[in-house]
Amino acid sequence: MKYVLFLCTPVGGEELGPEEIVDDPRFTSYVQEVRDRDLLKGGARLRPSTDATTVRVQGDEVLLSDGPFVESKEYVAGIGIIEVADLDEAVALASRHPAALDGGSVEVRPVWE
């Protein structure tokens, strides 16, 4: 079954760029494990939430606002798409992700197939 992992970072927390993630052994070992086990099916590191643009439509009007769609204590910093046997395996994998270990969270959501 496929799941999307929404990797959430605390607002105001340390924002690691792609170069820093590549040099962080926690990230490299985690990514290597999911690749070696052929669990990782896709993903992306997202730019900070301050770079987001939110689009809403009211009637005929398209409304744009800078920033994320909701005020929150965390924001989505990246996504991972995994294919595992079941929710238990997805949760076990998410619980070892550095985002979850650094004060953020990982939302696990099944994909419609």
Side-chain angles (χ1 to χ4, degrees):
M1 182 158 198
K2 286 186 183 169
Y3 292 88
V4 172
L5 305 179
F6 292 96
L7 313 172
C8 302
T9 298
V11 170
E14 183 179 13
E15 177 67 37
L16 298 179
E19 309 82 28
E20 296 153 317
I21 288 174
V22 168
D23 292 335
D24 186 325
R26 297 166 310 143
F27 279 96
T28 55
S29 66
Y30 180 87
V31 170
Q32 191 62 48
E33 175 192 346
V34 295
R35 284 187 176 153
D36 287 349
R37 294 175 55 199
D38 195 30
L39 304 176
L40 188 62
K41 303 304 177 187
R45 177 76 176 138
L46 303 177
R47 294 187 55 86
S49 63
T50 53
D51 290 351
T53 300
T54 299
V55 179
R56 291 183 173 81
V57 177
Q58 291 182 349
D60 295 344
E61 191 175 3
V62 176
L63 306 172
L64 303 178
S65 58
D66 292 333
F69 67 96
V70 60
E71 290 290 322
S72 109
K73 295 179 182 181
E74 296 178 330
Y75 64 91
V76 177
I79 62 165
I81 301 170
I82 59 172
E83 189 164 0
V84 293
D86 54 28
L87 179 60
D88 290 339
E89 188 176 0
V91 168
L93 200 59
S95 71
R96 294 194 317 274
H97 194 284
L101 301 173
D102 284 346
S105 64
V106 177
E107 179 182 334
V108 177
R109 192 178 305 178
V111 173
W112 287 110
E113 293 189 85

